[in-house]
Amino acid sequence: MTDAATTETTGAVSGGLRTLLRLEGLALFAGMTLLYAVWGGSWSVYLILFLVPDLSFAAYLAGPRFGAVIYNAAHSYLAPMALNVAGFATNEPLILSIAMIWLAHIGIDRALGYGLKYSTGFGFTHLGRIGKGAAKAT
């Protein structure tokens, strides 16, 4: 059963499940970017806001546990989906734009293997190891 979640200390998925999660991320990125284009959003706003969630990296200066909490808050679907619903409910184009861009960012991160972080360190994600130790871990 190589497609099941592993029982490693990181809890990272492997095999086909990892591939599926990464493909879902790619679909989210492509879908949100296409929706943003159809929506007629400003590409300069898209480019400016696309990397904003990565400012959460700075929280790692306070340690890996705090860094993981802040990074995961900025890279979870919860807040941008709440914004998405609020944007539709209030018919606010700016809120919808922010939600679409934020979701696109999360999607490309997941597609590239940058998953939610464990408190053991930035390189330990739910999608597997990233960074220098990644080659040894796989």
Side-chain angles (χ1 to χ4, degrees), residues 2 5 11 28-29 43 45 52 76 80 90 115:
T2 59
L28 181 63
F29 167 72
W43 290 109
V45 169
V52 165
S76 167
T90 61

Side-chain angles (χ1 to χ4, degrees), residues 19-97:
T19 301
L20 178 62
L21 289 173
R22 290 181 73 171
L23 286 172
E24 283 181 343
L26 184 59
L28 181 63
F29 167 72
M32 288 298 107
T33 302
L34 179 61
L35 187 58
Y36 189 80
V38 170
W39 173 259
S42 164
W43 290 109
S44 58
V45 169
Y46 185 95
L47 292 174
I48 291 167
L49 294 181
F50 189 77
L51 295 176
V52 165
D54 283 341
L55 295 176
S56 63
F57 287 135
Y60 275 91
L61 295 172
R65 182 176 301 274
F66 183 72
V69 168
I70 300 303
Y71 180 92
N72 290 342
H75 288 83
S76 167
Y77 301 130
L78 297 173
M81 284 306 297
L83 275 182
N84 204 17
V85 171
F88 274 112
T90 61
N91 198 25
E92 271 300 320
L94 180 60
I95 293 174
L96 280 169
S97 292

Side-chain angles (χ1 to χ4, degrees), residues 3-21:
D3 288 348
T6 65
T7 57
E8 297 173 18
T9 57
T10 63
V13 297
S14 62
L17 287 178
R18 183 172 190 262
T19 301
L20 178 62
L21 289 173

